[in-house]
Amino acid sequence: MISIHKSAGVLAALLLAPSAWAALLTFESTGPDAAAITPTRDAFRSTVGGGSIAAANGSFGGLRREINWDGVPDGRTDPNLLPADFFNVNSPRGVVFSTPGSGFLVSTNGGAANPTLFGFPGDFQAFSAQKLFTAVNSNITDVTFFVPGTTLAATTSAFGAVFVDVESAGLSRMEFFDDSDALIYARDVLVAGNQGLSFLGAVATGGEKISRVRLTSGLNTIVANGLLGNPNDDVVVMDDFLYAEPSRAVPEPSALALAGLGLVCGLIGRRQRRPAG
Ligand SMILES: [Ca+2]
Ligand SMILES: [Ca+2]
Ligand SMILES: [Ca+2]
């Protein structure tokens, strides 16, 4: 099942003047294997800048980034926690994670052709072989954006992710917040069935700036390898993250107009002196 369409964020419409944001273009699909969602992933890639082979730090032509977790070294994979800032420090890609839980885990391949991902042999498969990602002791992962390798706050214009083993409707979702922390997009992840894969991505088409992405992955939690937070609810983990290149949050044009010409020139000068990310 594949669909691409415009989706207004209904909740945000209740909170914001409709003119504050227009619409975001949704890319979503689900199915039993990687082939089922790859066309949608590819359409999302094309819309956000294209490319299929990553350069250093998951960069595609300076237009977008990806994280597939597969290159995370053994010392930072299950049972060891992944540092929240790994993808802005160790491999600078402009994202830092946070969670109400106790950290993050990347699964290990353990040298096996078909590793038992997170210790659950019948639940997960990789979209990109072999590693997956999850929060620990929580179903919430927040993603915030930085100019890659710096502490300068940034925003993105698009984000997408692969979800693994979504079996219950309404429990897994993706939400975007702007730099005022206002909700500008929310959508549930499509159900894939046991061990299936789901892709959900959205692209801002009206200049919306995404400052934070909240990923809710099921209702269960992974406490440790092979150990769930409760025996009953849907456990969901994630694979590839894809997003437009984070760029520095800058004042609105109207604010710039109020500033002196000298200040504007100063900003441009500083921007030009910063090395390319
Ligand atoms: Ca399952
Ligand atoms: Ca992977
Ligand atoms: Ca599940």
mmCIF file of all heavy atoms in Angstrom, residues 155-175:
data_model
loop_
_atom_site.group_PDB
_atom_site.id
_atom_site.type_symbol
_atom_site.label_atom_id
_atom_site.label_comp_id
_atom_site.label_asym_id
_atom_site.label_seq_id
_atom_site.Cartn_x
_atom_site.Cartn_y
_atom_site.Cartn_z
ATOM 1 N N THR A 155 16.874 23.990 12.036
ATOM 2 C CA THR A 155 15.590 23.391 11.692
ATOM 3 C C THR A 155 15.757 22.597 10.408
ATOM 4 O O THR A 155 16.724 22.778 9.668
ATOM 5 C CB THR A 155 14.493 24.458 11.487
ATOM 6 O OG1 THR A 155 14.879 25.316 10.412
ATOM 7 C CG2 THR A 155 14.276 25.283 12.755
ATOM 8 N N THR A 156 14.791 21.712 10.159
ATOM 9 C CA THR A 156 14.778 20.975 8.914
ATOM 10 C C THR A 156 13.432 21.197 8.235
ATOM 11 O O THR A 156 12.492 21.725 8.847
ATOM 12 C CB THR A 156 15.053 19.473 9.141
ATOM 13 O OG1 THR A 156 15.183 18.816 7.879
ATOM 14 C CG2 THR A 156 13.919 18.816 9.922
ATOM 15 N N SER A 157 13.337 20.790 6.983
ATOM 16 C CA SER A 157 12.088 20.964 6.247
ATOM 17 C C SER A 157 11.432 19.638 5.907
ATOM 18 O O SER A 157 10.376 19.614 5.266
ATOM 19 C CB SER A 157 12.350 21.749 4.953
ATOM 20 O OG SER A 157 13.267 21.056 4.135
ATOM 21 N N ALA A 158 12.035 18.544 6.342
ATOM 22 C CA ALA A 158 11.465 17.226 6.023
ATOM 23 C C ALA A 158 12.062 16.185 6.945
ATOM 24 O O ALA A 158 13.239 16.267 7.317
ATOM 25 C CB ALA A 158 11.769 16.853 4.575
ATOM 26 N N PHE A 159 11.233 15.194 7.307
ATOM 27 C CA PHE A 159 11.737 14.087 8.124
ATOM 28 C C PHE A 159 10.923 12.849 7.794
ATOM 29 O O PHE A 159 9.702 12.920 7.624
ATOM 30 C CB PHE A 159 11.615 14.408 9.623
ATOM 31 C CG PHE A 159 12.301 13.406 10.508
ATOM 32 C CD1 PHE A 159 13.615 13.607 10.910
ATOM 33 C CD2 PHE A 159 11.645 12.257 10.918
ATOM 34 C CE1 PHE A 159 14.267 12.668 11.705
ATOM 35 C CE2 PHE A 159 12.297 11.311 11.715
ATOM 36 C CZ PHE A 159 13.606 11.526 12.114
ATOM 37 N N GLY A 160 11.612 11.715 7.740
ATOM 38 C CA GLY A 160 10.942 10.449 7.532
ATOM 39 C C GLY A 160 11.658 9.352 8.296
ATOM 40 O O GLY A 160 12.841 9.485 8.626
ATOM 41 N N ALA A 161 10.937 8.269 8.594
ATOM 42 C CA ALA A 161 11.543 7.169 9.338
ATOM 43 C C ALA A 161 10.881 5.853 8.963
ATOM 44 O O ALA A 161 9.720 5.819 8.538
ATOM 45 C CB ALA A 161 11.412 7.397 10.852
ATOM 46 N N VAL A 162 11.645 4.783 9.138
ATOM 47 C CA VAL A 162 11.129 3.432 8.975
ATOM 48 C C VAL A 162 10.803 2.874 10.361
ATOM 49 O O VAL A 162 11.639 2.934 11.269
ATOM 50 C CB VAL A 162 12.169 2.526 8.280
ATOM 51 C CG1 VAL A 162 11.677 1.074 8.263
ATOM 52 C CG2 VAL A 162 12.440 3.021 6.865
ATOM 53 N N PHE A 163 9.586 2.376 10.513
ATOM 54 C CA PHE A 163 9.145 1.754 11.763
ATOM 55 C C PHE A 163 9.038 0.242 11.539
ATOM 56 O O PHE A 163 8.635 -0.201 10.458
ATOM 57 C CB PHE A 163 7.789 2.311 12.204
ATOM 58 C CG PHE A 163 7.823 3.773 12.578
ATOM 59 C CD1 PHE A 163 7.825 4.759 11.597
ATOM 60 C CD2 PHE A 163 7.866 4.163 13.908
ATOM 61 C CE1 PHE A 163 7.860 6.103 11.939
ATOM 62 C CE2 PHE A 163 7.897 5.505 14.265
ATOM 63 C CZ PHE A 163 7.898 6.481 13.275
ATOM 64 N N VAL A 164 9.371 -0.522 12.567
ATOM 65 C CA VAL A 164 9.426 -1.978 12.454
ATOM 66 C C VAL A 164 8.446 -2.615 13.427
ATOM 67 O O VAL A 164 8.452 -2.290 14.622
ATOM 68 C CB VAL A 164 10.856 -2.483 12.763
ATOM 69 C CG1 VAL A 164 10.955 -3.992 12.526
ATOM 70 C CG2 VAL A 164 11.892 -1.743 11.920
ATOM 71 N N ASP A 165 7.578 -3.507 12.888
ATOM 72 C CA ASP A 165 6.677 -4.306 13.731
ATOM 73 C C ASP A 165 5.523 -3.488 14.313
ATOM 74 O O ASP A 165 5.132 -3.675 15.461
ATOM 75 C CB ASP A 165 7.484 -5.001 14.846
ATOM 76 C CG ASP A 165 6.724 -6.169 15.490
ATOM 77 O OD1 ASP A 165 6.044 -6.912 14.764
ATOM 78 O OD2 ASP A 165 6.816 -6.313 16.728
ATOM 79 N N VAL A 166 4.968 -2.585 13.495
ATOM 80 C CA VAL A 166 3.777 -1.839 13.926
ATOM 81 C C VAL A 166 2.562 -2.739 13.720
ATOM 82 O O VAL A 166 2.202 -3.077 12.596
ATOM 83 C CB VAL A 166 3.610 -0.528 13.112
ATOM 84 C CG1 VAL A 166 2.314 0.180 13.529
ATOM 85 C CG2 VAL A 166 4.810 0.374 13.310
ATOM 86 N N GLU A 167 1.947 -3.150 14.830
ATOM 87 C CA GLU A 167 0.841 -4.109 14.756
ATOM 88 C C GLU A 167 -0.495 -3.549 15.234
ATOM 89 O O GLU A 167 -1.532 -4.172 15.014
ATOM 90 C CB GLU A 167 1.187 -5.354 15.593
ATOM 91 C CG GLU A 167 2.332 -6.151 15.001
ATOM 92 C CD GLU A 167 2.951 -7.101 16.003
ATOM 93 O OE1 GLU A 167 3.703 -6.643 16.888
ATOM 94 O OE2 GLU A 167 2.681 -8.306 15.905
ATOM 95 N N SER A 168 -0.498 -2.416 15.904
ATOM 96 C CA SER A 168 -1.739 -1.833 16.412
ATOM 97 C C SER A 168 -1.885 -0.411 15.885
ATOM 98 O O SER A 168 -0.928 0.371 15.910
ATOM 99 C CB SER A 168 -1.733 -1.802 17.946
ATOM 100 O OG SER A 168 -1.649 -3.099 18.469
ATOM 101 N N ALA A 169 -3.089 -0.085 15.419
ATOM 102 C CA ALA A 169 -3.340 1.259 14.901
ATOM 103 C C ALA A 169 -3.379 2.271 16.049
ATOM 104 O O ALA A 169 -3.836 1.966 17.159
ATOM 105 C CB ALA A 169 -4.664 1.283 14.149
ATOM 106 N N GLY A 170 -2.900 3.476 15.762
ATOM 107 C CA GLY A 170 -3.056 4.582 16.699
ATOM 108 C C GLY A 170 -2.051 4.637 17.830
ATOM 109 O O GLY A 170 -2.161 5.503 18.701
ATOM 110 N N LEU A 171 -1.063 3.748 17.820
ATOM 111 C CA LEU A 171 -0.082 3.748 18.916
ATOM 112 C C LEU A 171 1.283 4.259 18.491
ATOM 113 O O LEU A 171 2.099 4.619 19.341
ATOM 114 C CB LEU A 171 0.063 2.342 19.502
ATOM 115 C CG LEU A 171 -1.190 1.709 20.100
ATOM 116 C CD1 LEU A 171 -0.868 0.327 20.651
ATOM 117 C CD2 LEU A 171 -1.776 2.595 21.193
ATOM 118 N N SER A 172 1.548 4.247 17.176
ATOM 119 C CA SER A 172 2.839 4.732 16.678
ATOM 120 C C SER A 172 2.578 5.962 15.826
ATOM 121 O O SER A 172 1.713 5.948 14.947
ATOM 122 C CB SER A 172 3.538 3.655 15.838
ATOM 123 O OG SER A 172 3.896 2.558 16.657
ATOM 124 N N ARG A 173 3.319 7.045 16.094
ATOM 125 C CA ARG A 173 3.064 8.257 15.323
ATOM 126 C C ARG A 173 4.290 9.140 15.228
ATOM 127 O O ARG A 173 5.292 8.937 15.910
ATOM 128 C CB ARG A 173 1.890 9.044 15.907
ATOM 129 C CG ARG A 173 2.054 9.501 17.322
ATOM 130 C CD ARG A 173 0.818 10.292 17.820
ATOM 131 N NE ARG A 173 -0.306 10.219 16.902
ATOM 132 C CZ ARG A 173 -1.138 11.240 16.638
ATOM 133 N NH1 ARG A 173 -0.976 12.403 17.234
ATOM 134 N NH2 ARG A 173 -2.134 11.104 15.802
ATOM 135 N N MET A 174 4.179 10.130 14.329
ATOM 136 C CA MET A 174 5.253 11.085 14.111
ATOM 137 C C MET A 174 4.658 12.482 14.234
ATOM 138 O O MET A 174 3.608 12.769 13.666
ATOM 139 C CB MET A 174 5.842 10.880 12.710
ATOM 140 C CG MET A 174 7.116 11.646 12.435
ATOM 141 S SD MET A 174 7.866 11.124 10.862
ATOM 142 C CE MET A 174 6.763 11.916 9.706
ATOM 143 N N GLU A 175 5.311 13.348 15.020
ATOM 144 C CA GLU A 175 4.834 14.716 15.209
ATOM 145 C C GLU A 175 5.984 15.684 14.961
ATOM 146 O O GLU A 175 7.117 15.423 15.358
ATOM 147 C CB GLU A 175 4.319 14.905 16.641
ATOM 148 C CG GLU A 175 3.115 14.036 16.981
ATOM 149 C CD GLU A 175 2.861 13.982 18.480
ATOM 150 O OE1 GLU A 175 3.675 13.357 19.198
ATOM 151 O OE2 GLU A 175 1.872 14.568 18.923
#
